[in-house]
Amino acid sequence: PKGWQVQAAGEQRWLLKGTGERPLQVTLQCITELLHGPDDPVLTPVLGALEPARMSVRWASWGAADSGVSMAALQRRIVPGTEVQEIAELPRADRANPNAPHGLLMLRWDEEDPSHIQQREAFIATLTQSLEAPGTAKNTTGTAP
């Protein structure tokens, strides 16, 4: 989204920072293997380990299904509390190659913070608008690298 900043955050990892007093942070990591679930070791350096006694896990939809542009995200919620961790995989650039790299998005947000909610919604809208849906034109305006 407009105003967001991108900075390197390690090998094959970037940090996308939102705007405002409490900027939302999204980590983008390039991976080659598909995510193996909510406790995949690739998540630990960014989100920490899954703690089944303190966390619930569910699927969420990012984007508008009616427009044909949406993707699934895995949500890990810390209970009790207001922190939500979300993980979404971007499609492979070369879908014919199962070893082609693709992006893994990881974010933490506070479900009671209006700023985080607004920034999350703006990020998801920008992301899903940039994805190419069958039968629609690709809109790349304002997408992050």
Side-chain angles (χ1 to χ4, degrees), residues 38-40 43-52 55 76 85 108:
D39 60 348
D40 193 303
L43 304 174
T44 304
V46 175
L47 300 176
L50 178 69
E51 298 177 49
M55 298 172 126
R76 302 183 342 174
Q85 301 173 353
R108 291 178 174 200

Side-chain angles (χ1 to χ4, degrees), residues 115-140:
S115 172
H116 275 194
I117 293 167
Q118 182 181 37
Q119 291 175 77
R120 176 185 170 270
E121 289 173 357
F123 175 77
I124 291 171
T126 300
L127 174 68
T128 56
Q129 287 173 10
S130 71
L131 298 176
E132 192 169 355
T136 63
K138 187 173 183 179
N139 174 2
T140 57

Side-chain angles (χ1 to χ4, degrees), residues 55-126:
M55 298 172 126
S56 66
V57 177
R58 72 178 186 96
W59 287 100
S61 178
W62 281 11
D66 59 340
S67 70
V69 183
S70 66
M71 54 191 295
L74 189 62
Q75 286 187 340
R76 302 183 342 174
R77 291 179 181 267
I78 297 176
V79 180
T82 60
E83 180 179 308
V84 180
Q85 301 173 353
E86 283 186 286
I87 304 104
E89 288 183 273
L90 294 171
R92 294 183 190 279
D94 179 0
R95 294 179 186 184
N97 179 356
N99 296 317
H102 65 288
L104 180 66
L105 297 166
M106 297 171 274
L107 62 143
R108 291 178 174 200
W109 57 282
D110 185 333
E111 65 184 344
E112 292 185 357
D113 182 334
S115 172
H116 275 194
I117 293 167
Q118 182 181 37
Q119 291 175 77
R120 176 185 170 270
E121 289 173 357
F123 175 77
I124 291 171
T126 300

